[in-house]
Amino acid sequence: MPQLIVQKELDREEKDTYVMKVKVEDGGFPQKSSTAILQISIADINDNHPVFTESEIEVSIPENAPVGTSVTQLHATDADIGENAKIHFYFSNLVSNIAKRLFHLNSSTGLITIKEPLDREESPNHKLLVLASDGGLMPARAMVLVNVTDINDNVPSIDIRYIINPINGTVVLSENASLNTKIALITVTDKDADHNGRVTCFTDHDVPFRLRPVFSNQFLLETAAFLDYESTKEYAIKLLAADAGKPPLNQSSMLLIKIKDENDNAPVFTQSFISTSVPENNSPGSQLTKISATDADTGRNAEITYLLGDDAPSEFNLDQRTGILTAMKKLDREKQEKYYFTVLAKDNGIPPLITNVTVLVTVLDQNDNSPIFTHNEYNFYVPENLSRHGTVGLITVTDPDYGENSAVTLSILDVNDDFTIDSQTGVIRPNISFDREKQESYTFYVQAEDGGRVSRSSTAKVTINVVDVNDNKPVFLVPSSNYSYELVLPSTDPGTVVFTVVAIDNDTGMNAELQYSIVGGNARGLFIINQTTGNITMKEKCVLADLGLHRLVVKANDLGQPDSLFSVVRVNLFVNESVTNATLIHELVHRNTETSVTQNIETTDSSSPTTDYVKIMVAIVAGTITVILVIFITAVIRCCQSPHLKAAQKNKQNSEWVTPNPENRQMIMMKKKKKKKKKHAPKNLLLNFVTIEETKADDADNDGKSITLDLPIELEEQTMCKYNWGTTPTTFKPDSPDLARHYKSASPQPAFQIQPETPLNSKHHIIQELPLDNTFVACDSISKCSSSSSDPYSVSEYSYPVTTFKTPVSVHTRLVGIHSF
């Protein structure tokens, strides 16, 4: 028995019919078979649940939609067939009764409609849970959310809550109520939503009240201006509330306010500012003015009492009833010119009202004060170089009075032409030129007179002190002139005061403080000076080269400011054992009168350390060359000496000195060699070689031959010219020191002179001229230095072997340029 077996679960919804071929075969041979078609149809069972096409649906419907209006259409499907596919729609038990009352659900079609009128204010939305069942146990679910949209169908409502309790429905408000006095809280509402429920509230006409919003639907009714019972006694305020719907709906309400009369009018002064005046020195109790005020109120509220304010001074009194102001004391304008104080006017209301006014009392001036100088005595200090009509000082005068009574005019008492004073400004000016050295101070009196009808005056003493100005140069008292000299012994110990310079200055103070310094003539630095005392002391021990005349240039400068003044003097110090030739020293001192001491000071002061170093080096070189040349010339001369000259040399000490004959004197011709000036180089010097030619008369072998003597002499290039020996006494004595060896002369002269009348065995004396940069006189290194108290002159000498000179002697000069320091 063949059987058809179901091997898998069948699902009609997937496949409801199966068609197959069935074949039957026998067991014979040849085998026979037969086929047949088998069709199997799957019968439906209720195995599928209903399914909503939308499980959640939200719809909006206006609240004024009519009954029967379709809300929404629900759709559900079932995969089964026949009775198993029939769907039944119904509300779940969870749906509210209100919703079941308002909405209808068609059980067959699933259409939801309005069964009763909607009201958004009652219920703005509804949730409808709809079930769909095919008779099975698991129905399908769908949620329908119905939103009821608002329609402006409600008018606003006004709720008044009084802050000030009304009396019989009327608010009583004092006319003294301040601004923003709260009267009532107004609340407006509207059941509608959105714009339809937005409400505004306002009054219908202009009243001294306002509605101030505090929340979205609440307003405060408060005073917006001051109330006045006299103008309006009662207010009926109409409140209007309107929503924003289209068309808008509104509501109104009335509110009554009565004004209560109060003492609200303060007294008013007839003048807003009261000003009065009174002359000073008044009689006590003098009436000044009457003050009055009015009050708009009536009865006791209009009765006024006058009072002085707390700031009123004790000098014044005010009658409380009449308002008359009086001065109780004698007033003084110089103590206080103006009085400001307050006067009060108070009514008798409850509470009383008070008004004040400012009162100004001006005290008029009387000429009761004399001019007052700021000082009883004035002391002015003016420099003595103040120009005429310059400003000496300023006198300040005050007068406590006012106006013409304080207009002061200044004048100088008595007759005083030396000074003038500006009558208005008080500026004192001189009509003279000051000189402290002649008069140190001036004293006079100044009068100040005011311009009152009966004028008053006062005086003050003025002293003008002349302050010293550095207008006087120091004046040397010691030495009294540039021509005196002082003997300094060579044995003087270092640190010994050899001379004291004394100078005075006619100025005073720092202008008269003097400082001394050596600015010239101290090339070897042999002397130093104390800048305060003027003591010139020996710095070092004298050596042979320091003997002779030292011409120191001493400068005395004061400490005046801003520019100090100075004077210079020549201090001549003769370093020697004694003064053997006072006349010659006197001549040497006077021969330099034409040299400018000030120029020497500037030349000395302008030198720099670098220039001094160059000068020293050049001097060393020049000195070395000079010594070599002298030694060489001396050797040549000795080699050329004859026996006759040697005999004459032996009689050297017995020879006598004679006065040179100017008529037979041979003139020395000099030639200048120009040298280029070097930077910072001092004056050029010439090394002058003097050639002396002599013919021997008593030597037959040397007849016609001449002896030539070349001597180097330092000469200043600018002073090479002839000198008139006829005007100068020249008495020489042997063994006298050569005081002119390094003598600086402003008078040009030849390096030396040889007199024809001089005996052949006499010494040839040489007077050398020192450059201007040297200001001391010393013995030559090859000369003998000695002294004799009876000799008027002392000169150096050169000793040569005795020889016979032929007269006349010719002298030739050879110039060699040497830079000196």
Side-chain angles (χ1 to χ4, degrees):
M1 292 293 290
Q3 293 181 350
L4 184 62
I5 301 171
V6 179
Q7 294 182 343
K8 295 181 179 181
E9 291 183 358
L10 301 178
D11 189 356
R12 189 198 66 78
E13 286 73 29
E14 292 183 2
K15 191 173 184 178
D16 60 351
T17 303
Y18 293 90
V19 178
M20 61 190 77
K21 184 186 284 187
V22 178
K23 181 180 178 180
V24 178
E25 294 179 347
D26 59 14
F29 187 83
Q31 190 180 26
K32 299 292 187 179
S33 63
S34 177
T35 60
I37 299 300
L38 177 62
Q39 178 177 343
I40 301 172
S41 297
I42 306 300
D44 181 53
I45 64 173
N46 192 17
D47 60 347
N48 287 283
H49 307 297
V51 177
F52 282 102
T53 55
E54 293 179 301
S55 60
E56 291 185 3
I57 299 174
E58 183 177 2
V59 295
S60 296
I61 188 167
E63 63 177 332
N64 62 347
V67 176
T69 300
S70 176
V71 178
T72 185
Q73 174 68 55
L74 298 176
H75 297 279
T77 60
D78 195 319
D80 296 326
I81 59 176
E83 289 297 328
N84 295 331
K86 285 186 178 181
I87 300 173
H88 176 69
F89 296 96
Y90 60 93
F91 287 125
S92 170
N93 293 330
L94 300 177
V95 177
S96 65
N97 293 328
I98 296 176
K100 291 178 181 180
R101 180 172 56 83
L102 295 177
F103 298 98
H104 175 264
L105 175 62
N106 190 310
S107 61
S108 300
T109 61
L111 177 65
I112 300 175
T113 57
I114 297 175
K115 187 165 59 174
E116 290 184 7
L118 303 177
D119 188 358
R120 190 203 66 80
E121 288 72 31
E122 180 182 355
S123 181
N125 53 63
H126 303 274
K127 290 183 179 181
L128 305 176
L129 180 59
V130 179
L131 301 178
S133 175
D134 58 358
L137 299 176
M138 297 294 292
R141 296 171 178 269
M143 177 63 72
V144 178
L145 178 62
V146 180
N147 296 317
V148 181
T149 59
D150 182 58
I151 298 299
N152 192 22
D153 56 349
N154 294 281
V155 296
S157 63
I158 299 175
D159 179 46
I160 300 176
R161 295 184 180 182
Y162 290 98
I163 298 175
I164 299 177
N165 293 327
I167 300 175
N168 298 326
T170 301
V171 176
V172 178
L173 187 62
S174 172
E175 66 172 334
N176 289 336
S178 60
L179 291 176
N180 305 322
T181 298
K182 295 356 179 242
I183 300 172
L185 177 64
I186 310 299
T187 303
V188 293
T189 58
D190 194 318
K191 294 181 180 180
D192 294 325
D194 299 332
H195 290 285
N196 298 327
R198 187 174 299 167
V199 183
T200 58
C201 188
F202 51 90
T203 58
D204 60 343
H205 59 276
D206 188 17
V207 290
F209 304 95
R210 65 184 175 191
L211 291 171
R212 182 168 61 87
V214 290
F215 297 106
S216 60
N217 62 338
Q218 289 185 329
F219 300 87
L220 274 175
L221 179 64
E222 59 186 13
T223 57
F226 292 107
L227 305 177
D228 188 4
Y229 174 84
E230 287 74 22
S231 60
T232 305
K233 297 178 176 57
E234 187 179 50
Y235 294 94
I237 301 175
K238 184 178 182 180
L239 302 177
L240 294 176
D243 61 22
K246 292 183 179 181
L249 302 178
N250 56 67
Q251 182 70 292
S252 64
S253 180
M254 295 297 297
L255 191 148
L256 296 177
I257 299 177
K258 285 187 176 181
I259 307 302
K260 179 184 176 182
D261 186 32
E262 299 288 350
N263 183 26
D264 58 344
N265 290 289
V268 177
F269 286 96
T270 56
Q271 293 176 281
S272 60
F273 180 80
I274 300 174
S275 177
T276 185
S277 60
V278 57
E280 64 176 332
N281 305 320
N282 60 291
S283 300
S286 300
Q287 180 176 336
L288 303 182
T289 186
K290 181 178 181 180
I291 299 173
S292 61
T294 60
D295 195 315
D297 295 326
T298 58
R300 289 183 58 83
N301 296 335
E303 294 177 359
I304 299 175
T305 301
Y306 298 97
L307 303 171
L308 286 174
D310 294 337
D311 59 345
S314 60
E315 287 85 353
F316 302 98
N317 181 56
L318 181 65
D319 189 284
Q320 295 186 358
R321 186 177 61 85
T322 62
I324 295 176
L325 180 67
T326 57
M328 303 303 296
K329 297 181 180 180
K330 183 178 180 180
L331 303 179
D332 187 354
R333 190 203 68 84
E334 285 70 42
K335 292 182 178 180
Q336 186 169 351
E337 180 181 2
K338 296 180 183 295
Y339 293 87
Y340 288 91
F341 54 92
T342 303
V343 170
L344 306 177
K346 182 179 72 171
D347 62 22
N348 292 329
I350 300 176
L353 298 180
I354 300 175
T355 303
N356 60 67
V357 68
T358 300
V359 177
L360 168 63
V361 177
T362 303
V363 182
L364 302 179
D365 183 58
Q366 300 291 324
N367 191 21
D368 55 349
N369 290 280
S370 299
I372 301 173
F373 287 92
T374 55
H375 299 83
N376 294 329
E377 182 176 350
Y378 291 85
N379 285 279
F380 297 107
Y381 295 85
V382 296
E384 60 178 325
N385 60 353
L386 180 68
S387 60
R388 286 193 178 186
H389 310 298
T391 300
V392 170
L394 176 67
I395 290 182
T396 304
V397 183
T398 59
D399 193 316
D401 293 325
Y402 181 75
E404 292 297 327
N405 296 331
S406 65
V408 179
T409 301
L410 296 171
S411 62
I412 298 177
L413 293 179
D414 303 329
V415 179
N416 190 330
D417 296 332
D418 294 342
F419 298 92
T420 60
I421 185 170
D422 191 295
S423 61
Q424 302 299 322
T425 63
V427 175
I428 299 176
R429 303 181 187 276
N431 291 330
I432 59 173
S433 296
F434 294 109
D435 188 348
R436 188 201 62 82
E437 288 72 29
K438 293 182 179 179
Q439 186 171 349
E440 294 185 354
S441 64
Y442 299 84
T443 301
F444 53 87
Y445 287 87
V446 173
Q447 175 180 275
E449 184 177 5
D450 61 26
R453 288 186 177 181
V454 179
S455 63
R456 305 174 73 98
S457 63
S458 58
T459 60
K461 181 181 179 181
V462 177
T463 300
I464 298 175
N465 301 286
V466 182
V467 179
D468 182 54
V469 175
N470 193 22
D471 57 349
N472 289 281
K473 290 184 178 182
V475 177
F476 282 96
L477 300 179
V478 179
S480 58
S481 70
N482 290 327
Y483 311 123
S484 62
Y485 65 92
E486 185 76 14
L487 176 65
V488 179
L489 298 178
S491 60
T492 303
D493 295 329
T496 303
V497 177
V498 298
F499 191 76
T500 299
V501 178
V502 179
I504 60 172
D505 195 314
N506 289 330
D507 296 319
T508 60
M510 295 299 294
N511 297 331
E513 292 289 333
L514 302 181
Q515 286 186 347
Y516 301 95
S517 59
I518 299 175
V519 297
N522 195 25
R524 295 180 178 272
L526 185 60
F527 302 96
I528 58 174
I529 188 170
N530 186 298
Q531 65 175 5
T532 303
T533 63
N535 292 334
I536 300 176
T537 59
M538 184 75 72
K539 183 179 180 182
E540 299 175 355
K541 189 71 175 177
C542 288
V543 296
L544 187 61
D546 295 327
L547 299 180
L549 182 63
H550 294 257
R551 289 193 294 275
L552 304 181
V553 179
V554 175
K555 174 183 176 183
N557 62 284
D558 57 32
L559 301 181
Q561 295 295 332
D563 297 322
S564 64
L565 302 179
F566 69 91
S567 296
V568 295
V569 70
R570 189 180 299 280
V571 178
N572 301 291
L573 300 178
F574 180 56
V575 180
N576 204 10
E577 292 296 337
S578 63
V579 180
T580 59
N581 225 338
T583 305
L584 178 59
I585 297 175
H586 187 268
E587 176 202 358
L588 295 179
V589 169
H590 280 71
R591 286 174 60 186
N592 198 41
T593 55
E594 297 179 3
T595 303
S596 173
V597 176
T598 304
Q599 182 180 0
N600 293 337
I601 294 173
E602 295 175 353
T603 304
T604 303
D605 293 340
S606 63
S607 63
S608 64
T610 304
T611 305
D612 293 341
Y613 177 75
V614 175
K615 292 178 179 178
I616 293 171
M617 294 303 298
V618 174
I620 293 173
V621 174
T624 304
I625 295 174
T626 302
V627 172
I628 295 173
L629 291 175
V630 170
I631 296 173
F632 176 75
I633 294 171
T634 303
V636 171
I637 293 174
R638 289 184 176 179
C639 292
C640 297
Q641 285 179 347
S642 63
H644 181 74
L645 291 176
K646 293 180 180 180
Q649 186 177 11
K650 292 179 181 180
N651 297 326
K652 170 183 175 182
Q653 296 180 355
N654 297 324
S655 61
E656 295 294 332
W657 296 83
V658 296
T659 301
N661 186 359
E663 296 178 358
N664 298 322
R665 184 176 63 240
Q666 297 293 332
M667 302 305 298
I668 301 175
M669 304 304 296
M670 306 175 187
K671 296 181 180 179
K672 300 179 182 179
K673 285 187 178 181
K674 296 182 180 179
K675 288 199 170 187
K676 296 181 179 180
K677 296 182 179 179
K678 296 182 180 181
K679 189 176 182 181
H680 305 298
K683 302 174 182 179
N684 292 332
L685 298 180
L686 297 178
L687 184 60
N688 191 352
F689 287 89
V690 181
T691 303
I692 303 174
E693 295 181 356
E694 181 178 0
T695 304
K696 298 181 180 180
D698 55 348
D699 194 344
D701 296 334
N702 295 326
D703 187 23
K705 296 181 181 181
S706 64
I707 297 176
T708 302
L709 174 62
D710 293 338
L711 297 178
I713 302 116
E714 291 182 353
L715 297 175
E716 183 182 4
E717 183 178 338
Q718 298 178 355
T719 60
M720 301 292 289
C721 62
K722 295 181 179 180
Y723 178 76
N724 185 7
W725 279 77
T727 60
T728 305
T730 54
T731 302
F732 304 103
K733 185 176 180 180
D735 301 329
S736 296
D738 184 6
L739 299 180
R741 179 64 184 91
H742 294 287
Y743 173 61
K744 177 184 119 179
S745 174
S747 302
Q749 59 179 322
F752 67 94
Q753 302 292 338
I754 298 177
Q755 303 301 331
E757 292 83 359
T758 302
L760 294 180
N761 58 350
S762 65
K763 304 172 184 178
H764 301 282
H765 299 279
I766 301 171
I767 301 176
Q768 290 187 326
E769 185 174 64
L770 190 67
L772 286 176
D773 287 343
N774 281 327
T775 56
F776 70 93
V777 176
C779 294
D780 187 82
S781 60
I782 63 173
S783 302
K784 296 180 179 178
C785 294
S786 61
S787 62
S788 176
S789 59
S790 61
D791 293 340
Y793 289 88
S794 295
V795 297
S796 63
E797 59 182 346
Y798 283 103
S799 299
Y800 303 105
V802 179
T803 183
T804 302
F805 288 84
K806 182 180 180 181
T807 303
V809 179
S810 61
V811 178
H812 303 281
T813 61
R814 185 154 51 99
L815 303 179
V816 178
I818 295 178
H819 292 285
S820 68
F821 288 81

